[in-house]
Amino acid sequence: MVDLKIVEEDEKSLKVEIRDLHLSIANAIRRLAISEVPTMAVEEILIIENTSAMPNEVLAHRISLIPFISDIDRYVQPEECTCGSKLGCDRCVVRYVLRAEAKDEPITVYSRDLIPEDPNTIVKPVSPNIPIIKLAPKQRIEMELYVRVGTGKKHAKWQASIATLYDKDGEPGKKILFIESIGFLPPRRILLEAVKIFKKKIEELKEKIMGELGG
Amino acid sequence: MELKITVLRDEFIEIEVLKEDPAILDSLAEILQNIEGVEYAGYMIEHPLTMKLILRVKTNPAKITAREALQKALNELLNISNVLLEKVYQI
Ligand SMILES: [Zn+2]
């Protein structure tokens, strides 16, 4: 029966040795680790003011690419939330504001300048040092950001990890699954979520096929 | 996942699946291929833009019907998923 062993691990990546598991299943886990493990990023931006040289949509796109440390135990994808509200509730949205202004000297705005509405939230940019925009004197930006849960298949900004699967050198039957986290979640959590999603999908597949077959 | 059985005979079943990752059907196909009496099991992506997936199972009905093979494969696949999840919790 299937056996898993961690052969290498650090805070960003994980190498798991897999034995006695069908190649197709190991590959499904790999694909789910890339495209279906939920993570959090800015999905919507309300621009109140932007007198910078960067157009609204370019600025919004840049901000949306910042990975946020993701609390997927508390937050759910908006489509799965019970609130049904477009604005969202405390289970499907984390609000941030970004206000910056250059006085007499040019400034660079970084991810650390994003201010959460709830100062105690653990959902925050993975690094404080991601540059967002440069502002020349007298330029100003002000916006509200809505951080939501999503998946890589919806948009690549939510892609949880890079994952590869290969044969172990000189040891037939053994495979290595390598998962490198983008930073949203620890690599072990990504593996766990991918397997949970796989199981859920198999349950759904079985239920639907049995239902159609009638019995 | 949206699923529809389009052909249902003793020795042959065809299933159309929408809005699902093809790797899920690939797993089911590989399990099916290892079941005694299954002559063919595979899936195709009809078109990458629609991502309509078609799974086909053909069996020797003297040994096993396509329905029985599917049931058996789904049970086995679910068992493997359960064991896999347990192992991931342990590591
Ligand atoms: Zn909600």
Side-chain angles (χ1 to χ4, degrees):
Chain A
M1 209 41 166
V2 48
D3 194 31
L4 302 176
K5 196 169 88 190
I6 291 183
V7 286
E8 246 179 79
E9 185 179 21
D10 58 36
E11 71 279 3
K12 273 201 80 181
S13 68
L14 183 67
K15 263 185 196 171
V16 196
E17 184 186 294
I18 303 175
R19 260 190 337 158
D20 292 330
L21 184 64
H22 299 77
L23 175 62
S24 58
I25 298 175
N27 183 51
I29 303 299
R30 180 192 67 82
R31 285 178 61 90
L32 298 177
I34 295 172
S35 64
E36 296 208 27
V37 171
T39 62
M40 298 177 82
V42 175
E43 193 188 19
E44 203 174 339
I45 297 184
L46 181 65
I47 296 188
I48 297 156
E49 191 177 348
N50 174 20
T51 51
S52 77
M54 200 178 276
N56 290 354
E57 60 272 31
V58 179
L59 181 55
H61 182 249
R62 279 183 70 84
I63 293 172
S64 79
L65 296 176
I66 299 171
F68 278 68
I69 295 167
S70 304
D71 184 358
I72 54 171
D73 295 316
R74 170 168 171 186
Y75 294 98
V76 296
Q77 296 191 53
E79 315 75 90
E80 288 166 12
C81 191
T82 47
C83 72
S85 150
K86 200 174 175 296
L87 274 175
C89 65
D90 60 359
R91 286 195 65 234
C92 61
V93 69
V94 182
R95 287 184 192 84
Y96 267 81
V97 290
L98 174 58
R99 279 191 202 95
E101 184 174 7
K103 305 282 189 214
D104 302 319
E105 291 293 317
I107 61 164
T108 303
V109 182
Y110 291 92
S111 51
R112 58 174 167 270
D113 300 318
L114 303 177
I115 309 297
E117 188 183 69
D118 168 13
N120 300 318
T121 185
I122 58 168
V123 179
K124 54 180 185 223
V126 295
S127 160
N129 303 320
I130 303 170
I132 296 171
I133 188 173
K134 284 187 176 173
L135 297 177
K138 308 284 186 296
Q139 290 183 349
R140 195 172 172 280
I141 53 169
E142 180 175 353
M143 55 193 69
E144 271 179 40
L145 319 173
Y146 300 88
V147 179
R148 297 203 179 101
V149 181
T151 59
K153 75 170 174 184
K154 195 169 170 190
H155 191 289
K157 69 186 175 189
W158 281 296
Q159 181 178 323
S161 66
I162 290 149
T164 49
L165 180 70
Y166 51 93
D167 287 327
K168 197 172 185 191
D169 267 353
E171 293 186 59
K174 289 187 183 173
K175 295 180 200 81
I176 299 282
L177 175 64
F178 173 68
I179 295 178
E180 183 180 342
S181 170
I182 304 288
F184 300 94
L185 293 167
R188 270 181 191 244
R189 184 68 196 264
I190 295 172
L191 175 66
L192 174 64
E193 292 304 314
V195 173
K196 276 199 216 163
I197 294 166
F198 180 75
K199 192 188 152 199
K200 221 173 97 189
K201 284 179 180 293
I202 298 303
E203 280 169 346
E204 191 188 350
L205 184 69
K206 184 181 166 189
E207 200 176 291
K208 292 212 160 126
I209 292 182
M210 296 306 208
E212 287 275 312
L213 284 173
Chain B
M1 181 192 311
E2 285 168 19
L3 187 149
K4 196 167 73 191
I5 295 185
T6 45
V7 183
L8 176 56
R9 294 199 300 265
D10 274 358
E11 85 299 350
F12 184 78
I13 288 179
E14 184 182 276
I15 304 174
E16 283 181 10
V17 181
L18 282 167
K19 295 177 189 164
E20 193 47 270
D21 193 297
I24 301 300
L25 290 192
D26 194 26
S27 301
L28 182 60
E30 191 180 349
I31 304 278
L32 278 164
Q33 285 154 11
N34 292 320
I35 291 176
E36 173 77 22
V38 172
E39 291 178 345
Y40 172 85
Y43 77 98
M44 61 173 288
I45 300 169
E46 192 188 58
H47 193 285
L49 280 180
T50 61
M51 281 307 281
K52 185 199 270 184
L53 312 172
I54 301 171
L55 179 85
R56 296 189 177 99
V57 191
K58 163 104 177 64
T59 63
N60 175 351
K63 289 184 179 159
I64 193 167
T65 64
R67 175 196 291 258
E68 289 162 350
L70 257 179
Q71 286 173 344
K72 201 173 166 187
L74 284 165
N75 286 333
E76 194 182 330
L77 193 51
L78 194 54
N79 280 341
I80 295 171
S81 327
N82 285 326
V83 176
L84 189 60
L85 188 57
E86 269 170 45
K87 296 276 177 180
V88 173
Y89 274 120
Q90 283 164 17
I91 59 170

